[in-house]
Amino acid sequence: MRRILTTTAAVLAALILAGCSSSSSETDQKYADAVAAADPDDFGGIDTGKLASTLGDEGPQLCDQMKSSYEDAVAYARTGFSDKASAALISAAVLVYCPDQRTKLPAG
């Protein structure tokens, strides 16, 4: 588990250092804020402006996966993130981009 978290942090750091120059929208910023709040251990130390640029269209893509099922979204998110980070990304995506998918989130 620690290795996954370290790998996730390293990937995010590399993306941030690479200088993702695309500007993020207000909605993307809300998504980054929600991700950081949902998983402060993995994302809380990253400036949310940079996080918004780094995550790019991750939120809308997760919502596309949620249209099929929560399990599809989890499988998609786990290709690059730990279980905890994946859950944070999915819940934040539903909160910001696709609240109509909220009923598919597991209770808890």
Side-chain angles (χ1 to χ4, degrees):
M1 180 71 152
R2 181 170 280 195
R3 191 173 112 205
I4 292 171
L5 294 176
T6 303
T7 302
T8 300
V11 169
L12 286 173
L15 290 171
I16 290 169
L17 291 175
C20 299
S21 61
S22 64
S23 65
S24 56
S25 71
E26 185 176 321
T27 305
D28 294 339
Q29 185 63 48
K30 287 179 184 178
Y31 177 58
D33 291 340
V35 167
D39 187 0
D41 294 336
D42 290 333
F43 299 107
I46 302 170
D47 175 86
T48 57
K50 290 181 181 178
L51 183 59
S53 294
T54 301
L55 291 174
D57 64 348
E58 189 77 30
Q61 288 180 13
L62 287 167
C63 284
D64 286 344
Q65 296 297 320
M66 284 290 289
K67 290 176 185 173
S68 295
S69 70
Y70 176 76
E71 291 75 19
D72 285 352
V74 169
Y76 175 84
R78 283 187 182 157
T79 59
F81 297 96
S82 70
D83 292 349
K84 182 179 175 188
S86 295
L89 291 164
I90 294 166
S91 63
V94 169
L95 177 70
V96 174
Y97 294 106
C98 54
D100 61 314
Q101 300 296 312
R102 184 171 288 144
T103 59
K104 294 181 182 175
L105 292 174

